[in-house]
């Protein structure tokens, strides 16, 4: 069945007309409208989202909400959370929200298995943290190496980095994602196999990076211990492919489930969150789940005009599709959130970087903008020049926390001052001084919109809510663009070709390649033949 395109809706045409009228109106005038901040700032779960510096009027916001109503975004969110087949190409539900819901609110079909796995996770984490779990020689585990990539890595490492203040020293969690040998060499340096536990997180247990890393880690372990029987005590898996994990040598009691109804990039709420729970404790991990659930409840119940994820999605659509922003910057003003751009790149670009609608037809509007970002004042001294004087339209989210987890009040005040100064500079600009030529060079046009997000503090609960906010933004945008945010067919070809190029870089040039790739293969082979250390 062919869908009516979003662009054919009268609500879309109304938005296009409003955008055309607003695009040339000075932003400073719009921001100067009465009760601007009050009308355009929203709070949920201690997270303030301020759209008052956006090129948006009450009328435009109402029109965006009318589009959301027309596309039944809150109802779609409810269907998602109730277990509808949201991932249409793979015929699966996308029930990450069930993982963080209290048992009574979980869809019955998945209630019991989630409960069971959560209890197993709790037992495992508690035993590891209080020293009951020991290595094969009886020594306590001091390091946990989490092997996984993409969704099996980014969420956990981001969360851990953000919640450093909640971590206790033992055992220390390290992450190994890339296939680059430098990464594993660096990670294993100084580790003692007797006190190291490896977690292999891979939904498919077929991802090359994770399998190559896990295999090398197992060899490292065996070379130093000579104890094949001890692998079972030092390797844990999180996967939906327990047969492959078993074949690797991981004991059934050490295999945690990933279900096909949880997408990789939405999986940190499952056992993929083990490294988070190991580092901050199970009760803090549950706080994260509770914060995410609170955001789920809000996303499900609040009308579009007060619904934070829906509004965040709509403002993104407005900036990209109506006003022509070509990329989206995420500028974090809190060191603890420095991994957020990388995390969001996977969450948003792997979900919505698509050009085919759910019915198989080609989308007739731009989907996911390039998402990029950087941290704090470092970014100001690197690329903000382009934000202030470059000639490409972009959208931006500034993200800060009101209360820090340190006692350097003066630093924090400067940090927040810089965050607000950047959005204000983007808004107001500055007339250049000097002669005409110099004045032209020194002029900042301003007139550039932004969103500012402020967390009251960065607790596990708030982090959970923040991640859920963006997850639902992604779902809402996918719904508006009429694409499936839960598959990722685009990454398959590169994996297949790497399988074919790998032997050619060794001694087996079995496959034919295009002339350019063949030339590069020959060059690399000549170079590596000169001697690899
Ligand atoms: O890059 C594609 C992808 O499938 C991601 O969606 C996923 O998070 C990642 O690879 C890792 O997959 P797995 O958990 O199966 O190893």
């Amino acid at each position: 069945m062919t869908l009516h395109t979003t662009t054919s809706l009268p609500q879309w045409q109304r938005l296009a007309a409003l955008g055309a009228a607003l695009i040339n109106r000075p932003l400073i005038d719009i921001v100067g409208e009465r009760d601007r901040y009050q009308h355009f700032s929203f709070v949920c779960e201690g997270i303030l989202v301020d759209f008052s510096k956006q090129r948006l009027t009450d009328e435009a916001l109402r029109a965006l909400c009318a589009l959301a109503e027309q596309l039944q975004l809150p109802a779609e969110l409810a269907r998602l959370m109730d277990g509808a087949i949201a991932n249409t190409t793979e015929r699966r539900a996308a029930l990450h929200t069930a993982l963080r819901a209290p048992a009574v609110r979980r869809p019955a079909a998945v209630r019991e298995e989630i409960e069971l796995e959560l209890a197993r996770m709790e037992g495992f984490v508690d035993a590891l943290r209080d020293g009951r779990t020991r290595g094969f020689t009886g020594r306590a585990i001091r390091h946990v190496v989490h092997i996984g990539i993409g969704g099996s890595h980014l969420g956990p490492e981001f969360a851990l980095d953000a919640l450093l203040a909640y971590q206790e020293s033992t055992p220390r969690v390290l992450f190994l994602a890339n296939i680059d040998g430098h990464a594993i060499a660096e990670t294993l340096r100084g580790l003692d196999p007797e006190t190291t536990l490896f977690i292999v997180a891979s939904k498919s247990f077929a991802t090359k990076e994770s399998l190559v890393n896990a295999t090398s880690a197992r060899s490292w372990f065996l070379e130093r211990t000579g104890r094949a029987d001890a692998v079972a005590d030092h390797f844990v898996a999180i996967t939906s492919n327990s047969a492959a994990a078993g074949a690797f040598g991981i004991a059934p009691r050490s295999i945690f489930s990933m279900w096909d109804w949880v997408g990789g990039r939405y999986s940190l709420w499952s056992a993929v969150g083990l490294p988070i729970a190991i580092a901050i404790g199970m009760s803090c991990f549950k706080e994260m789940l509770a914060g995410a659930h609170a955001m789920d409840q809000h996303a499900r119940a609040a009308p579009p005009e007060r619904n934070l994820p829906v509004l965040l999605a709509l403002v993104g659509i407005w900036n990209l599709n109506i006003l022509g922003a070509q990329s989206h910057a995420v500028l974090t003003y809190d060191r603890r959130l420095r991994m957020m751009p990388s995390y969001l790149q996977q969450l948003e670009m792997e979900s919505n970087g698509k050009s085919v609608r759910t019915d198989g037809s080609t989308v007739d509007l731009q989907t996911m903008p390039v998402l990029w970002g950087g941290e704090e004042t470092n970014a100001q001294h690197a690329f903000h020049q382009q934000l202030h004087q470059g000639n490409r339209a972009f959208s931006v989210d500034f993200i800060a926390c009101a209360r820090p987890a340190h006692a350097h009040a003066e630093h924090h005040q400067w940090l927040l001052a810089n965050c607000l100064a950047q959005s204000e500079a983007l808004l107001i600009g500055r007339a250049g001084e000097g002669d005409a030529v110099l004045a032209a060079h020194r002029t900042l046009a301003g007139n550039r919109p932004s969103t500012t997000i402020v967390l009251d503090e960065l607790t596990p609960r708030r982090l959970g809510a923040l991640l859920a906010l963006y997850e639902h933004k992604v779902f809402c945008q996918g719904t508006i663009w009429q694409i499936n945010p839960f598959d990722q067919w685009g990454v398959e070809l590169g994996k297949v070709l790497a399988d074919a190029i790998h032997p050619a870089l060794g001694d087996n040039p079995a496959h034919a390649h295009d002339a350019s790739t063949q030339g590069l293969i020959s060059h690399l082979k000549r170079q590596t033949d000169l001697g690899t250390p």
Side-chain angles (χ1 to χ4, degrees):
M1 191 183 70
T2 307
L3 294 168
H4 286 296
T5 60
T6 298
T7 51
S8 68
L9 296 172
Q11 289 82 357
W12 188 268
Q13 279 139 30
R14 167 113 181 99
L15 283 172
L18 285 169
L22 277 175
I23 199 153
N24 292 321
R25 199 170 148 206
L27 184 57
I28 193 75
D29 290 355
I30 298 173
V31 175
E33 284 176 354
R34 200 156 162 255
D35 295 331
R36 177 76 188 173
Y37 180 78
Q38 287 73 8
H39 279 189
F40 286 86
S41 296
F42 305 86
V43 183
C44 172
E45 266 299 301
I47 301 175
L48 168 100
V49 184
D50 171 33
F51 298 113
S52 63
K53 289 194 181 78
Q54 287 292 347
R55 188 178 300 286
L56 266 178
T57 55
D58 283 323
E59 199 183 14
L61 193 61
R62 273 199 304 278
L64 282 166
C65 291
L67 178 74
E69 295 282 8
Q70 175 66 29
L71 293 168
Q72 303 187 331
L73 286 191
E76 288 298 328
L77 280 158
R79 288 185 65 240
L80 171 80
M81 296 183 210
D82 288 341
I85 302 294
N87 181 349
T88 48
T89 54
E90 295 172 309
R91 302 290 309 150
R92 292 172 187 163
L95 269 172
H96 43 284
T97 51
L99 299 169
R100 53 220 194 194
V104 288
R105 293 221 180 102
R106 289 187 191 122
V110 294
R111 191 174 298 152
E112 222 170 284
E113 45 189 337
I114 295 177
E115 204 56 38
L116 206 73
E117 217 50 14
L118 205 57
R120 283 187 68 212
M121 208 174 146
E122 182 149 20
F124 178 83
V125 167
D126 289 351
L128 195 62
R129 280 167 61 87
D130 66 23
R132 272 177 290 136
T133 296
R134 296 192 165 248
F136 74 101
T137 54
R139 292 171 63 196
I141 297 295
R142 292 185 52 230
H143 290 100
V144 172
V145 179
H146 179 91
I147 297 174
I149 196 161
S152 297
H153 157 238
L154 285 162
E157 187 168 11
F158 168 37
L160 231 67
D161 205 37
L163 299 174
L164 215 58
Y166 292 82
Q167 288 180 43
E168 285 155 23
S169 53
T170 314
R172 199 171 146 233
V173 180
L174 307 167
F175 290 89
L176 179 55
N178 241 309
I179 203 159
D180 187 336
H182 297 105
I184 188 163
E186 199 178 303
T187 306
L188 297 180
R189 190 177 306 130
L191 297 190
D192 181 343
E194 289 182 31
T195 58
T196 301
L197 179 82
F198 293 93
I199 298 178
V200 187
S202 173
K203 185 175 170 183
S204 57
F205 220 83
T207 302
K208 207 62 90 197
E209 290 86 342
S210 303
L211 290 192
V212 169
N213 276 326
T215 304
S216 296
R218 187 181 52 189
S219 304
W220 173 88
F221 180 83
L222 289 174
E223 279 157 19
R224 282 156 184 78
T225 63
R227 292 281 301 269
D229 60 317
V231 167
D233 290 325
H234 287 259
F235 281 78
V236 169
I238 308 159
T239 185
S240 59
N241 186 355
S242 49
F248 180 88
I250 298 177
R253 66 181 150 82
S254 301
I255 300 176
F256 290 88
S257 297
M258 272 177 98
W259 301 282
D260 66 356
W261 40 265
V262 178
R265 52 195 171 274
Y266 301 86
S267 65
L268 85 158
W269 319 101
S270 70
V272 172
L274 262 183
I276 309 173
I278 291 169
I280 66 176
M282 203 61 193
S283 63
C284 282
F285 182 69
K286 285 184 178 169
E287 278 294 301
M288 254 185 85
L289 301 185
H293 176 66
M295 188 57 74
D296 296 342
Q297 293 287 92
H298 166 80
R300 192 177 178 131
E305 61 275 15
R306 288 200 308 278
N307 191 315
L308 248 58
V310 169
L311 290 168
L312 200 59
L314 291 171
V315 171
I317 297 281
W318 174 253
N319 278 314
L320 171 73
N321 297 120
I322 305 296
L323 301 180
Q326 291 161 358
S327 69
H328 180 65
V330 176
L331 303 176
T332 54
Y333 276 76
D334 195 297
R335 185 180 167 80
R336 297 168 293 176
L337 297 176
R338 67 189 154 173
M339 279 196 67
M340 193 161 173
S342 307
Y343 164 79
L344 287 182
Q345 276 177 334
Q346 195 210 12
L347 178 65
E348 300 210 25
M349 291 167 85
E350 194 170 282
S351 294
N352 283 338
K354 317 238 165 104
S355 41
V356 172
R357 299 192 310 153
T358 48
D359 67 358
S361 61
T362 305
V363 285
D364 63 349
L365 76 184
Q366 294 209 337
T367 58
M368 184 64 209
V370 172
L371 189 152
W372 57 288
E375 54 169 320
E376 314 176 64
T377 59
N378 287 357
Q380 290 174 206
H381 291 275
F383 58 74
H384 281 221
Q385 161 64 34
Q386 170 153 345
L387 300 184
H388 294 293
Q389 288 191 311
N391 57 9
R392 283 167 199 269
F394 55 87
S395 55
V396 51
D397 289 351
F398 288 97
I399 308 180
C401 300
R403 294 196 287 278
H406 59 72
H408 301 279
E410 182 65 1
H411 286 251
H412 192 59
Q413 203 169 323
W414 273 118
L415 179 70
L416 294 182
N418 271 281
C419 178
L420 297 185
Q422 288 299 311
S423 63
E424 190 172 40
L426 286 173
L427 167 67
I428 64 177
R430 186 182 63 183
E433 289 168 2
D435 63 42
V437 173
L438 194 56
H441 283 282
R442 296 184 64 180
T443 296
L444 275 71
N447 203 28
R448 296 174 201 259
S450 63
T451 293
T452 301
I453 298 178
V454 181
L455 276 66
D456 54 358
E457 56 186 344
L458 187 51
T459 58
R461 186 177 173 101
R462 290 291 180 266
L463 184 69
L466 182 68
L467 301 191
L469 168 66
Y470 275 91
E471 282 182 352
H472 292 315
K473 168 201 166 183
V474 168
F475 175 75
C476 291
Q477 291 194 332
T479 306
I480 296 170
W481 290 321
Q482 302 176 307
I483 57 183
N484 173 9
F486 298 113
D487 61 14
Q488 57 283 322
W489 300 104
V491 298
E492 298 302 320
L493 177 60
K495 296 180 187 176
V496 172
L497 294 180
D499 281 346
I501 293 173
H502 179 265
L505 286 170
D507 295 325
N508 183 9
H511 299 269
H513 299 280
D514 65 86
S516 166
T517 307
Q518 191 54 60
L520 290 165
I521 289 171
S522 305
H523 174 78
L524 283 166
K525 262 185 73 65
R526 273 196 307 275
Q527 295 289 315
T528 46
D529 286 350
L530 290 178
T532 312

